[in-house]
PDB file of all heavy atoms in Angstrom:
ATOM      1  N   PRO A 159     -17.839  20.942  56.715  1.00 97.00           N
ATOM      2  CA  PRO A 159     -18.743  20.922  55.493  1.00 97.00           C
ATOM      3  C   PRO A 159     -19.028  22.353  55.083  1.00 97.00           C
ATOM      4  O   PRO A 159     -19.477  23.281  55.972  1.00 97.00           O
ATOM      5  CB  PRO A 159     -19.961  20.128  55.999  1.00 97.00           C
ATOM      6  CG  PRO A 159     -19.781  20.111  57.561  1.00 97.00           C
ATOM      7  CD  PRO A 159     -18.376  20.190  57.841  1.00 97.00           C
ATOM      8  N   ARG A 160     -19.088  22.628  53.838  1.00 96.00           N
ATOM      9  CA  ARG A 160     -19.508  23.948  53.339  1.00 96.00           C
ATOM     10  C   ARG A 160     -20.908  23.853  52.642  1.00 96.00           C
ATOM     11  O   ARG A 160     -21.745  24.753  52.927  1.00 96.00           O
ATOM     12  CB  ARG A 160     -18.476  24.426  52.320  1.00 96.00           C
ATOM     13  CG  ARG A 160     -17.182  24.810  52.877  1.00 96.00           C
ATOM     14  CD  ARG A 160     -17.183  25.930  53.821  1.00 96.00           C
ATOM     15  NE  ARG A 160     -15.966  26.408  54.380  1.00 96.00           N
ATOM     16  CZ  ARG A 160     -15.700  26.719  55.594  1.00 96.00           C
ATOM     17  NH1 ARG A 160     -16.589  26.695  56.517  1.00 96.00           N
ATOM     18  NH2 ARG A 160     -14.436  27.114  55.972  1.00 96.00           N
ATOM     19  N   LEU A 161     -21.110  22.971  51.782  1.00 97.00           N
ATOM     20  CA  LEU A 161     -22.402  22.648  51.190  1.00 97.00           C
ATOM     21  C   LEU A 161     -22.822  21.247  51.772  1.00 97.00           C
ATOM     22  O   LEU A 161     -22.343  20.194  51.072  1.00 97.00           O
ATOM     23  CB  LEU A 161     -22.341  22.680  49.736  1.00 97.00           C
ATOM     24  CG  LEU A 161     -22.228  24.032  49.094  1.00 97.00           C
ATOM     25  CD1 LEU A 161     -22.151  24.104  47.611  1.00 97.00           C
ATOM     26  CD2 LEU A 161     -23.346  25.083  49.643  1.00 97.00           C
ATOM     27  N   LEU A 162     -23.745  21.279  52.638  1.00 98.00           N
ATOM     28  CA  LEU A 162     -24.301  19.984  53.299  1.00 98.00           C
ATOM     29  C   LEU A 162     -25.727  19.979  53.116  1.00 98.00           C
ATOM     30  O   LEU A 162     -26.388  20.925  53.315  1.00 98.00           O
ATOM     31  CB  LEU A 162     -23.834  19.945  54.781  1.00 98.00           C
ATOM     32  CG  LEU A 162     -24.316  18.675  55.553  1.00 98.00           C
ATOM     33  CD1 LEU A 162     -23.473  17.444  55.169  1.00 98.00           C
ATOM     34  CD2 LEU A 162     -24.033  18.938  57.069  1.00 98.00           C
ATOM     35  N   TYR A 163     -26.167  18.742  52.688  1.00 98.00           N
ATOM     36  CA  TYR A 163     -27.568  18.588  52.451  1.00 98.00           C
ATOM     37  C   TYR A 163     -28.162  17.548  53.358  1.00 98.00           C
ATOM     38  O   TYR A 163     -27.671  16.363  53.420  1.00 98.00           O
ATOM     39  CB  TYR A 163     -27.814  18.223  51.015  1.00 98.00           C
ATOM     40  CG  TYR A 163     -27.542  19.370  49.964  1.00 98.00           C
ATOM     41  CD1 TYR A 163     -26.187  19.448  49.525  1.00 98.00           C
ATOM     42  CD2 TYR A 163     -28.576  20.236  49.567  1.00 98.00           C
ATOM     43  CE1 TYR A 163     -25.927  20.484  48.679  1.00 98.00           C
ATOM     44  CE2 TYR A 163     -28.220  21.254  48.710  1.00 98.00           C
ATOM     45  CZ  TYR A 163     -26.949  21.347  48.289  1.00 98.00           C
ATOM     46  OH  TYR A 163     -26.602  22.368  47.399  1.00 98.00           O
ATOM     47  N   ARG A 164     -29.303  17.771  53.867  1.00 98.00           N
ATOM     48  CA  ARG A 164     -30.055  16.778  54.681  1.00 98.00           C
ATOM     49  C   ARG A 164     -30.931  16.085  53.604  1.00 98.00           C
ATOM     50  O   ARG A 164     -31.776  16.768  52.923  1.00 98.00           O
ATOM     51  CB  ARG A 164     -30.919  17.417  55.788  1.00 98.00           C
ATOM     52  CG  ARG A 164     -31.674  16.338  56.669  1.00 98.00           C
ATOM     53  CD  ARG A 164     -32.249  17.050  57.838  1.00 98.00           C
ATOM     54  NE  ARG A 164     -33.392  18.006  57.467  1.00 98.00           N
ATOM     55  CZ  ARG A 164     -33.285  19.258  57.788  1.00 98.00           C
ATOM     56  NH1 ARG A 164     -32.344  19.742  58.401  1.00 98.00           N
ATOM     57  NH2 ARG A 164     -34.310  20.029  57.401  1.00 98.00           N
ATOM     58  N   VAL A 165     -30.856  14.712  53.643  1.00 98.00           N
ATOM     59  CA  VAL A 165     -31.702  14.050  52.448  1.00 98.00           C
ATOM     60  C   VAL A 165     -32.663  13.176  53.248  1.00 98.00           C
ATOM     61  O   VAL A 165     -32.449  12.408  54.006  1.00 98.00           O
ATOM     62  CB  VAL A 165     -30.654  13.100  51.691  1.00 98.00           C
ATOM     63  CG1 VAL A 165     -31.455  12.524  50.580  1.00 98.00           C
ATOM     64  CG2 VAL A 165     -29.577  13.916  51.076  1.00 98.00           C
ATOM     65  N   SER A 166     -33.949  13.302  52.825  1.00 97.00           N
ATOM     66  CA  SER A 166     -35.133  12.606  53.436  1.00 97.00           C
ATOM     67  C   SER A 166     -35.171  11.221  52.714  1.00 97.00           C
ATOM     68  O   SER A 166     -34.705  11.058  51.607  1.00 97.00           O
ATOM     69  CB  SER A 166     -36.376  13.468  53.326  1.00 97.00           C
ATOM     70  OG  SER A 166     -36.809  13.625  52.038  1.00 97.00           O
ATOM     71  N   PRO A 167     -35.898  10.281  53.311  1.00 97.00           N
ATOM     72  CA  PRO A 167     -36.084   9.027  52.614  1.00 97.00           C
ATOM     73  C   PRO A 167     -36.651   8.919  51.262  1.00 97.00           C
ATOM     74  O   PRO A 167     -36.433   8.171  50.482  1.00 97.00           O
ATOM     75  CB  PRO A 167     -36.947   8.140  53.572  1.00 97.00           C
ATOM     76  CG  PRO A 167     -36.663   8.823  54.949  1.00 97.00           C
ATOM     77  CD  PRO A 167     -36.467  10.221  54.635  1.00 97.00           C
ATOM     78  N   ASP A 168     -37.443   9.991  51.003  1.00 96.00           N
ATOM     79  CA  ASP A 168     -38.103  10.158  49.598  1.00 96.00           C
ATOM     80  C   ASP A 168     -37.161  10.839  48.639  1.00 96.00           C
ATOM     81  O   ASP A 168     -37.609  11.178  47.500  1.00 96.00           O
ATOM     82  CB  ASP A 168     -39.468  10.898  49.754  1.00 96.00           C
ATOM     83  CG  ASP A 168     -39.352  12.346  50.230  1.00 96.00           C
ATOM     84  OD1 ASP A 168     -38.190  12.803  50.488  1.00 96.00           O
ATOM     85  OD2 ASP A 168     -40.344  13.084  50.421  1.00 96.00           O
ATOM     86  N   GLY A 169     -35.948  11.322  49.084  1.00 96.00           N
ATOM     87  CA  GLY A 169     -35.007  11.872  48.132  1.00 96.00           C
ATOM     88  C   GLY A 169     -35.012  13.336  48.234  1.00 96.00           C
ATOM     89  O   GLY A 169     -34.210  13.945  47.487  1.00 96.00           O
ATOM     90  N   LYS A 170     -35.738  13.913  48.954  1.00 97.00           N
ATOM     91  CA  LYS A 170     -35.809  15.400  49.004  1.00 97.00           C
ATOM     92  C   LYS A 170     -34.452  15.990  49.730  1.00 97.00           C
ATOM     93  O   LYS A 170     -34.102  15.522  50.754  1.00 97.00           O
ATOM     94  CB  LYS A 170     -36.954  15.982  49.805  1.00 97.00           C
ATOM     95  CG  LYS A 170     -36.881  17.516  49.929  1.00 97.00           C
ATOM     96  CD  LYS A 170     -38.247  18.015  50.670  1.00 97.00           C
ATOM     97  CE  LYS A 170     -38.181  19.593  50.882  1.00 97.00           C
ATOM     98  NZ  LYS A 170     -39.245  19.934  51.756  1.00 97.00           N
ATOM     99  N   ARG A 171     -33.796  17.030  49.062  1.00 97.00           N
ATOM    100  CA  ARG A 171     -32.670  17.416  49.619  1.00 97.00           C
ATOM    101  C   ARG A 171     -32.871  18.996  50.206  1.00 97.00           C
ATOM    102  O   ARG A 171     -33.415  19.743  49.526  1.00 97.00           O
ATOM    103  CB  ARG A 171     -31.477  17.600  48.524  1.00 97.00           C
ATOM    104  CG  ARG A 171     -31.140  16.217  48.023  1.00 97.00           C
ATOM    105  CD  ARG A 171     -29.615  16.249  47.384  1.00 97.00           C
ATOM    106  NE  ARG A 171     -29.312  17.524  46.701  1.00 97.00           N
ATOM    107  CZ  ARG A 171     -28.018  17.764  46.452  1.00 97.00           C
ATOM    108  NH1 ARG A 171     -27.143  16.913  46.700  1.00 97.00           N
ATOM    109  NH2 ARG A 171     -27.769  18.915  45.783  1.00 97.00           N
ATOM    110  N   THR A 172     -32.336  19.114  51.449  1.00 98.00           N
ATOM    111  CA  THR A 172     -32.389  20.408  52.096  1.00 98.00           C
ATOM    112  C   THR A 172     -31.062  20.942  52.540  1.00 98.00           C
ATOM    113  O   THR A 172     -30.414  20.231  53.341  1.00 98.00           O
ATOM    114  CB  THR A 172     -33.416  20.340  53.285  1.00 98.00           C
ATOM    115  OG1 THR A 172     -34.579  19.778  52.936  1.00 98.00           O
ATOM    116  CG2 THR A 172     -33.539  21.623  53.965  1.00 98.00           C
ATOM    117  N   LEU A 173     -30.655  22.049  52.007  1.00 98.00           N
ATOM    118  CA  LEU A 173     -29.418  22.518  52.345  1.00 98.00           C
ATOM    119  C   LEU A 173     -29.419  23.090  53.837  1.00 98.00           C
ATOM    120  O   LEU A 173     -30.446  23.688  54.307  1.00 98.00           O
ATOM    121  CB  LEU A 173     -29.150  23.791  51.445  1.00 98.00           C
ATOM    122  CG  LEU A 173     -27.819  24.547  51.668  1.00 98.00           C
ATOM    123  CD1 LEU A 173     -26.568  23.715  51.272  1.00 98.00           C
ATOM    124  CD2 LEU A 173     -27.712  25.821  50.872  1.00 98.00           C
ATOM    125  N   VAL A 174     -28.519  22.791  54.554  1.00 98.00           N
ATOM    126  CA  VAL A 174     -28.249  23.104  55.994  1.00 98.00           C
ATOM    127  C   VAL A 174     -27.016  23.813  56.191  1.00 98.00           C
ATOM    128  O   VAL A 174     -26.064  23.709  55.396  1.00 98.00           O
ATOM    129  CB  VAL A 174     -28.489  21.937  56.921  1.00 98.00           C
ATOM    130  CG1 VAL A 174     -29.820  21.323  56.795  1.00 98.00           C
ATOM    131  CG2 VAL A 174     -27.477  20.886  56.716  1.00 98.00           C
ATOM    132  N   ARG A 175     -26.779  24.570  57.311  1.00 97.00           N
ATOM    133  CA  ARG A 175     -25.664  25.195  57.603  1.00 97.00           C
ATOM    134  C   ARG A 175     -25.252  25.067  59.091  1.00 97.00           C
ATOM    135  O   ARG A 175     -26.137  24.560  59.926  1.00 97.00           O
ATOM    136  CB  ARG A 175     -25.764  26.726  57.298  1.00 97.00           C
ATOM    137  CG  ARG A 175     -26.842  27.501  57.959  1.00 97.00           C
ATOM    138  CD  ARG A 175     -26.991  28.989  57.504  1.00 97.00           C
ATOM    139  NE  ARG A 175     -28.091  29.461  58.045  1.00 97.00           N
ATOM    140  CZ  ARG A 175     -28.192  30.296  59.154  1.00 97.00           C
ATOM    141  NH1 ARG A 175     -27.129  30.329  59.955  1.00 97.00           N
ATOM    142  NH2 ARG A 175     -29.330  30.770  59.548  1.00 97.00           N
ATOM    143  N   GLY A 176     -23.992  25.503  59.449  1.00 95.00           N
ATOM    144  CA  GLY A 176     -23.703  25.489  60.838  1.00 95.00           C
ATOM    145  C   GLY A 176     -23.242  24.155  61.377  1.00 95.00           C
ATOM    146  O   GLY A 176     -23.452  23.883  62.589  1.00 95.00           O
ATOM    147  N   ALA A 177     -22.663  23.184  60.448  1.00 96.00           N
ATOM    148  CA  ALA A 177     -22.466  21.810  60.965  1.00 96.00           C
ATOM    149  C   ALA A 177     -20.995  21.454  60.983  1.00 96.00           C
ATOM    150  O   ALA A 177     -20.076  22.174  60.338  1.00 96.00           O
ATOM    151  CB  ALA A 177     -23.093  20.798  59.911  1.00 96.00           C
ATOM    152  N   LEU A 178     -20.573  20.577  61.714  1.00 96.00           N
ATOM    153  CA  LEU A 178     -19.300  20.130  61.798  1.00 96.00           C
ATOM    154  C   LEU A 178     -19.420  18.454  61.688  1.00 96.00           C
ATOM    155  O   LEU A 178     -20.368  17.909  62.204  1.00 96.00           O
ATOM    156  CB  LEU A 178     -18.581  20.356  63.134  1.00 96.00           C
ATOM    157  CG  LEU A 178     -18.244  21.847  63.445  1.00 96.00           C
ATOM    158  CD1 LEU A 178     -17.745  21.975  64.910  1.00 96.00           C
ATOM    159  CD2 LEU A 178     -17.291  22.347  62.499  1.00 96.00           C
ATOM    160  N   PHE A 179     -18.290  17.905  61.216  1.00 97.00           N
ATOM    161  CA  PHE A 179     -18.308  16.533  61.168  1.00 97.00           C
ATOM    162  C   PHE A 179     -17.563  15.939  62.448  1.00 97.00           C
ATOM    163  O   PHE A 179     -16.565  16.544  62.862  1.00 97.00           O
ATOM    164  CB  PHE A 179     -17.440  15.967  59.963  1.00 97.00           C
ATOM    165  CG  PHE A 179     -18.318  16.011  58.724  1.00 97.00           C
ATOM    166  CD1 PHE A 179     -17.736  16.489  57.441  1.00 97.00           C
ATOM    167  CD2 PHE A 179     -19.662  15.656  58.656  1.00 97.00           C
ATOM    168  CE1 PHE A 179     -18.416  16.496  56.406  1.00 97.00           C
ATOM    169  CE2 PHE A 179     -20.477  15.654  57.560  1.00 97.00           C
ATOM    170  CZ  PHE A 179     -19.772  16.149  56.291  1.00 97.00           C
ATOM    171  N   ASP A 180     -17.931  14.836  62.983  1.00 94.00           N
ATOM    172  CA  ASP A 180     -17.338  14.218  64.052  1.00 94.00           C
ATOM    173  C   ASP A 180     -16.878  12.724  63.829  1.00 94.00           C
ATOM    174  O   ASP A 180     -17.623  12.126  62.931  1.00 94.00           O
ATOM    175  CB  ASP A 180     -18.305  14.245  65.300  1.00 94.00           C
ATOM    176  CG  ASP A 180     -17.579  13.821  66.589  1.00 94.00           C
ATOM    177  OD1 ASP A 180     -16.346  14.032  66.778  1.00 94.00           O
ATOM    178  OD2 ASP A 180     -18.313  13.395  67.535  1.00 94.00           O
ATOM    179  N   GLU A 181     -15.743  12.333  64.383  1.00 93.00           N
ATOM    180  CA  GLU A 181     -15.343  10.971  64.150  1.00 93.00           C
ATOM    181  C   GLU A 181     -14.919  10.707  62.657  1.00 93.00           C
ATOM    182  O   GLU A 181     -15.095   9.562  62.161  1.00 93.00           O
ATOM    183  CB  GLU A 181     -16.300   9.962  64.573  1.00 93.00           C
ATOM    184  CG  GLU A 181     -16.674  10.025  66.111  1.00 93.00           C
ATOM    185  CD  GLU A 181     -17.715   9.121  66.614  1.00 93.00           C
ATOM    186  OE1 GLU A 181     -18.323   8.461  65.701  1.00 93.00           O
ATOM    187  OE2 GLU A 181     -17.878   9.096  67.864  1.00 93.00           O
ATOM    188  N   LEU A 182     -14.519  11.771  61.926  1.00 96.00           N
ATOM    189  CA  LEU A 182     -14.090  11.559  60.513  1.00 96.00           C
ATOM    190  C   LEU A 182     -12.487  11.435  60.673  1.00 96.00           C
ATOM    191  O   LEU A 182     -11.871  12.527  60.717  1.00 96.00           O
ATOM    192  CB  LEU A 182     -14.501  12.831  59.701  1.00 96.00           C
ATOM    193  CG  LEU A 182     -14.073  12.720  58.245  1.00 96.00           C
ATOM    194  CD1 LEU A 182     -14.572  11.425  57.519  1.00 96.00           C
ATOM    195  CD2 LEU A 182     -14.561  13.920  57.385  1.00 96.00           C
ATOM    196  N   ASP A 183     -12.043  10.240  60.726  1.00 97.00           N
ATOM    197  CA  ASP A 183     -10.549   9.966  61.008  1.00 97.00           C
ATOM    198  C   ASP A 183     -10.187   8.699  60.300  1.00 97.00           C
ATOM    199  O   ASP A 183     -10.886   8.240  59.409  1.00 97.00           O
ATOM    200  CB  ASP A 183     -10.454   9.818  62.622  1.00 97.00           C
ATOM    201  CG  ASP A 183     -11.408   8.803  63.239  1.00 97.00           C
ATOM    202  OD1 ASP A 183     -11.884   7.906  62.426  1.00 97.00           O
ATOM    203  OD2 ASP A 183     -11.607   8.817  64.342  1.00 97.00           O
ATOM    204  N   GLN A 184      -8.914   8.333  60.689  1.00 97.00           N
ATOM    205  CA  GLN A 184      -8.384   7.114  59.938  1.00 97.00           C
ATOM    206  C   GLN A 184      -9.207   5.842  60.094  1.00 97.00           C
ATOM    207  O   GLN A 184      -9.264   5.024  59.241  1.00 97.00           O
ATOM    208  CB  GLN A 184      -6.891   6.841  60.416  1.00 97.00           C
ATOM    209  CG  GLN A 184      -5.908   7.694  59.750  1.00 97.00           C
ATOM    210  CD  GLN A 184      -5.793   9.129  60.427  1.00 97.00           C
ATOM    211  OE1 GLN A 184      -6.263   9.408  61.525  1.00 97.00           O
ATOM    212  NE2 GLN A 184      -5.285  10.078  59.663  1.00 97.00           N
ATOM    213  N   ARG A 185      -9.895   5.833  61.248  1.00 97.00           N
ATOM    214  CA  ARG A 185     -10.603   4.639  61.622  1.00 97.00           C
ATOM    215  C   ARG A 185     -11.853   4.575  60.623  1.00 97.00           C
ATOM    216  O   ARG A 185     -12.223   3.558  59.990  1.00 97.00           O
ATOM    217  CB  ARG A 185     -11.238   4.622  62.996  1.00 97.00           C
ATOM    218  CG  ARG A 185     -12.266   3.459  63.249  1.00 97.00           C
ATOM    219  CD  ARG A 185     -13.052   3.838  64.368  1.00 97.00           C
ATOM    220  NE  ARG A 185     -13.986   4.840  64.007  1.00 97.00           N
ATOM    221  CZ  ARG A 185     -15.022   4.821  63.308  1.00 97.00           C
ATOM    222  NH1 ARG A 185     -15.435   3.642  62.722  1.00 97.00           N
ATOM    223  NH2 ARG A 185     -15.908   5.825  62.990  1.00 97.00           N
ATOM    224  N   ALA A 186     -12.374   5.798  60.300  1.00 97.00           N
ATOM    225  CA  ALA A 186     -13.533   5.893  59.442  1.00 97.00           C
ATOM    226  C   ALA A 186     -13.216   5.539  57.895  1.00 97.00           C
ATOM    227  O   ALA A 186     -13.991   4.892  57.231  1.00 97.00           O
ATOM    228  CB  ALA A 186     -14.045   7.433  59.524  1.00 97.00           C
ATOM    229  N   ILE A 187     -12.000   5.914  57.508  1.00 98.00           N
ATOM    230  CA  ILE A 187     -11.694   5.530  56.120  1.00 98.00           C
ATOM    231  C   ILE A 187     -11.248   4.198  55.991  1.00 98.00           C
ATOM    232  O   ILE A 187     -11.154   3.510  54.961  1.00 98.00           O
ATOM    233  CB  ILE A 187     -10.675   6.533  55.561  1.00 98.00           C
ATOM    234  CG1 ILE A 187      -9.255   6.491  56.269  1.00 98.00           C
ATOM    235  CG2 ILE A 187     -11.129   7.926  55.539  1.00 98.00           C
ATOM    236  CD1 ILE A 187      -8.243   7.255  55.582  1.00 98.00           C
ATOM    237  N   ARG A 188     -10.762   3.566  57.157  1.00 97.00           N
ATOM    238  CA  ARG A 188     -10.269   2.133  57.150  1.00 97.00           C
ATOM    239  C   ARG A 188     -11.511   1.220  57.106  1.00 97.00           C
ATOM    240  O   ARG A 188     -11.604   0.291  56.360  1.00 97.00           O
ATOM    241  CB  ARG A 188      -9.502   1.802  58.392  1.00 97.00           C
ATOM    242  CG  ARG A 188      -8.942   0.371  58.346  1.00 97.00           C
ATOM    243  CD  ARG A 188      -8.132   0.133  59.684  1.00 97.00           C
ATOM    244  NE  ARG A 188      -9.010   0.023  60.862  1.00 97.00           N
ATOM    245  CZ  ARG A 188      -8.878   0.961  61.887  1.00 97.00           C
ATOM    246  NH1 ARG A 188      -8.092   1.997  61.829  1.00 97.00           N
ATOM    247  NH2 ARG A 188      -9.766   0.853  63.003  1.00 97.00           N
ATOM    248  N   SER A 189     -12.491   1.504  57.975  1.00 96.00           N
ATOM    249  CA  SER A 189     -13.542   0.379  58.111  1.00 96.00           C
ATOM    250  C   SER A 189     -15.012   0.986  57.943  1.00 96.00           C
ATOM    251  O   SER A 189     -16.047   0.247  58.083  1.00 96.00           O
ATOM    252  CB  SER A 189     -13.434  -0.297  59.471  1.00 96.00           C
ATOM    253  OG  SER A 189     -13.521   0.725  60.483  1.00 96.00           O
ATOM    254  N   GLY A 190     -15.049   2.373  57.666  1.00 97.00           N
ATOM    255  CA  GLY A 190     -16.387   2.907  57.735  1.00 97.00           C
ATOM    256  C   GLY A 190     -16.947   3.338  56.215  1.00 97.00           C
ATOM    257  O   GLY A 190     -17.920   3.893  56.120  1.00 97.00           O
ATOM    258  N   ILE A 191     -16.158   2.934  55.179  1.00 98.00           N
ATOM    259  CA  ILE A 191     -16.656   3.244  53.824  1.00 98.00           C
ATOM    260  C   ILE A 191     -17.480   2.052  53.220  1.00 98.00           C
ATOM    261  O   ILE A 191     -16.951   0.938  53.187  1.00 98.00           O
ATOM    262  CB  ILE A 191     -15.458   3.632  52.941  1.00 98.00           C
ATOM    263  CG1 ILE A 191     -14.767   4.895  53.440  1.00 98.00           C
ATOM    264  CG2 ILE A 191     -15.963   3.922  51.490  1.00 98.00           C
ATOM    265  CD1 ILE A 191     -13.466   5.190  52.559  1.00 98.00           C
ATOM    266  N   LEU A 192     -18.686   2.312  52.972  1.00 98.00           N
ATOM    267  CA  LEU A 192     -19.565   1.240  52.419  1.00 98.00           C
ATOM    268  C   LEU A 192     -19.376   0.982  50.910  1.00 98.00           C
ATOM    269  O   LEU A 192     -19.412  -0.146  50.486  1.00 98.00           O
ATOM    270  CB  LEU A 192     -21.032   1.556  52.645  1.00 98.00           C
ATOM    271  CG  LEU A 192     -21.455   1.605  54.121  1.00 98.00           C
ATOM    272  CD1 LEU A 192     -23.041   2.100  54.243  1.00 98.00           C
ATOM    273  CD2 LEU A 192     -21.455   0.080  54.657  1.00 98.00           C
ATOM    274  N   ALA A 193     -19.233   2.119  50.116  1.00 98.00           N
ATOM    275  CA  ALA A 193     -19.219   1.949  48.700  1.00 98.00           C
ATOM    276  C   ALA A 193     -18.472   3.180  48.117  1.00 98.00           C
ATOM    277  O   ALA A 193     -18.402   4.170  48.817  1.00 98.00           O
ATOM    278  CB  ALA A 193     -20.563   1.799  48.147  1.00 98.00           C
ATOM    279  N   ALA A 194     -18.025   3.025  46.783  1.00 98.00           N
ATOM    280  CA  ALA A 194     -17.459   4.112  46.130  1.00 98.00           C
ATOM    281  C   ALA A 194     -17.934   4.228  44.736  1.00 98.00           C
ATOM    282  O   ALA A 194     -18.443   3.266  44.175  1.00 98.00           O
ATOM    283  CB  ALA A 194     -15.967   3.886  46.039  1.00 98.00           C
ATOM    284  N   GLY A 195     -17.991   5.396  44.202  1.00 97.00           N
ATOM    285  CA  GLY A 195     -18.683   5.600  42.967  1.00 97.00           C
ATOM    286  C   GLY A 195     -17.621   5.537  41.723  1.00 97.00           C
ATOM    287  O   GLY A 195     -16.430   5.342  41.950  1.00 97.00           O
ATOM    288  N   GLY A 196     -18.155   5.772  40.525  1.00 93.00           N
ATOM    289  CA  GLY A 196     -17.331   5.753  39.374  1.00 93.00           C
ATOM    290  C   GLY A 196     -16.961   7.138  38.796  1.00 93.00           C
ATOM    291  O   GLY A 196     -16.401   7.172  37.700  1.00 93.00           O
ATOM    292  N   ARG A 197     -17.611   8.059  39.400  1.00 93.00           N
ATOM    293  CA  ARG A 197     -17.311   9.494  38.971  1.00 93.00           C
ATOM    294  C   ARG A 197     -16.181  10.152  39.613  1.00 93.00           C
ATOM    295  O   ARG A 197     -16.295  10.558  40.735  1.00 93.00           O
ATOM    296  CB  ARG A 197     -18.661  10.278  39.009  1.00 93.00           C
ATOM    297  CG  ARG A 197     -18.559  11.797  38.305  1.00 93.00           C
ATOM    298  CD  ARG A 197     -19.872  12.328  38.332  1.00 93.00           C
ATOM    299  NE  ARG A 197     -20.375  12.651  39.712  1.00 93.00           N
ATOM    300  CZ  ARG A 197     -21.525  13.319  39.859  1.00 93.00           C
ATOM    301  NH1 ARG A 197     -22.248  13.724  38.930  1.00 93.00           N
ATOM    302  NH2 ARG A 197     -21.961  13.456  41.103  1.00 93.00           N
ATOM    303  N   ASP A 198     -15.047  10.234  38.921  1.00 96.00           N
ATOM    304  CA  ASP A 198     -13.788  10.662  39.728  1.00 96.00           C
ATOM    305  C   ASP A 198     -13.827  12.228  39.642  1.00 96.00           C
ATOM    306  O   ASP A 198     -14.235  12.939  38.715  1.00 96.00           O
ATOM    307  CB  ASP A 198     -12.568  10.179  39.007  1.00 96.00           C
ATOM    308  CG  ASP A 198     -12.498   8.647  39.129  1.00 96.00           C
ATOM    309  OD1 ASP A 198     -12.623   8.162  40.302  1.00 96.00           O
ATOM    310  OD2 ASP A 198     -12.157   7.974  38.118  1.00 96.00           O
ATOM    311  N   TYR A 199     -13.121  12.840  40.680  1.00 97.00           N
ATOM    312  CA  TYR A 199     -12.871  14.202  40.776  1.00 97.00           C
ATOM    313  C   TYR A 199     -11.332  14.332  40.850  1.00 97.00           C
ATOM    314  O   TYR A 199     -10.570  13.627  41.677  1.00 97.00           O
ATOM    315  CB  TYR A 199     -13.615  14.845  41.994  1.00 97.00           C
ATOM    316  CG  TYR A 199     -13.283  16.242  42.198  1.00 97.00           C
ATOM    317  CD1 TYR A 199     -14.204  17.139  41.589  1.00 97.00           C
ATOM    318  CD2 TYR A 199     -12.260  16.819  42.943  1.00 97.00           C
ATOM    319  CE1 TYR A 199     -13.954  18.517  41.679  1.00 97.00           C
ATOM    320  CE2 TYR A 199     -12.009  18.198  43.209  1.00 97.00           C
ATOM    321  CZ  TYR A 199     -12.930  19.058  42.517  1.00 97.00           C
ATOM    322  OH  TYR A 199     -12.738  20.374  42.699  1.00 97.00           O
ATOM    323  N   VAL A 200     -10.794  15.448  40.198  1.00 97.00           N
ATOM    324  CA  VAL A 200      -9.417  15.789  40.196  1.00 97.00           C
ATOM    325  C   VAL A 200      -9.170  16.937  41.090  1.00 97.00           C
ATOM    326  O   VAL A 200      -9.575  18.171  40.626  1.00 97.00           O
ATOM    327  CB  VAL A 200      -8.811  16.036  38.737  1.00 97.00           C
ATOM    328  CG1 VAL A 200      -7.313  16.274  38.823  1.00 97.00           C
ATOM    329  CG2 VAL A 200      -9.133  14.732  37.893  1.00 97.00           C
ATOM    330  N   ALA A 201      -8.478  16.798  42.186  1.00 96.00           N
ATOM    331  CA  ALA A 201      -8.104  17.822  43.065  1.00 96.00           C
ATOM    332  C   ALA A 201      -6.614  18.171  42.827  1.00 96.00           C
ATOM    333  O   ALA A 201      -5.741  17.233  42.864  1.00 96.00           O
ATOM    334  CB  ALA A 201      -8.304  17.567  44.483  1.00 96.00           C
ATOM    335  N   GLN A 202      -6.217  19.452  42.717  1.00 95.00           N
ATOM    336  CA  GLN A 202      -4.906  19.787  42.375  1.00 95.00           C
ATOM    337  C   GLN A 202      -4.479  20.880  43.265  1.00 95.00           C
ATOM    338  O   GLN A 202      -5.137  21.763  43.665  1.00 95.00           O
ATOM    339  CB  GLN A 202      -4.848  20.265  40.878  1.00 95.00           C
ATOM    340  CG  GLN A 202      -5.497  19.290  39.875  1.00 95.00           C
ATOM    341  CD  GLN A 202      -4.579  18.981  38.684  1.00 95.00           C
ATOM    342  OE1 GLN A 202      -3.649  18.283  38.880  1.00 95.00           O
ATOM    343  NE2 GLN A 202      -4.910  19.465  37.665  1.00 95.00           N
TER     344      GLN A 202
END
């Protein structure tokens, strides 16, 4: 993560640094996605 925000229950966003993701793997994309949005991004 380069721009990662901690989000409180009231919606406040706080930028944080020095983080890594763990357990972001094929299992996560197979059974760990709850929902998807409708705003598409084009990566090239």
Side-chain angles (χ1 to χ4, degrees):
R160 292 297 186 218
L161 288 182
L162 179 69
Y163 294 87
R164 184 173 64 238
V165 184
S166 64
D168 63 2
K170 180 183 176 182
R171 299 201 326 163
T172 302
L173 181 66
V174 296
R175 57 185 172 92
L178 293 174
F179 285 137
D180 193 22
E181 299 174 354
L182 182 54
D183 52 21
Q184 279 80 24
R185 179 207 61 81
I187 64 172
R188 181 184 69 247
S189 56
I191 299 178
L192 289 175
R197 186 171 61 179
D198 292 312
Y199 180 86
V200 181
Q202 312 227 71

